[in-house]
Amino acid sequence: MNDHVYKHIELTGSSTTGTDHAIQNAISKAAKTVKNMHWFEVVDTRGYIDNGAVQHWQVTIKIGFRVTD
């Protein structure tokens, strides 16, 4: 078995649809420049309220990616 080294970054995705969509937005944006992503961890969830209703969800995640040679 090979030993791996991982690095992580922290991102906040947002969505008017929900938390899952906010996570997907953050991951799909990161995938354009970050290679070898393997895991994510939800760090924080919050939302923006306007006129008594949720208008935006914001989810902060840590994304782990494998460091290559």
Side-chain angles (χ1 to χ4, degrees):
M1 180 174 145
N2 293 334
D3 293 329
H4 299 291
V5 174
Y6 294 90
K7 181 174 177 129
H8 65 83
I9 56 175
E10 190 169 285
L11 302 170
T12 301
S14 65
S15 171
T16 57
T17 306
T19 56
D20 288 349
H21 196 244
I23 293 167
Q24 290 294 336
N25 285 342
I27 291 172
S28 65
K29 188 72 159 188
K32 293 179 181 178
T33 58
V34 179
K35 307 301 179 214
N36 302 315
M37 292 189 296
H38 284 268
W39 55 266
F40 75 92
E41 172 187 358
V42 174
V43 178
D44 190 26
T45 304
R46 62 188 165 275
Y48 171 71
I49 301 169
D50 190 25
N51 292 324
V54 175
Q55 297 298 316
H56 290 276
W57 290 94
Q58 295 177 330
V59 180
T60 301
I61 61 173
K62 289 182 181 179
I63 295 178
F65 60 95
R66 192 176 71 242
V67 177
T68 59
D69 294 333

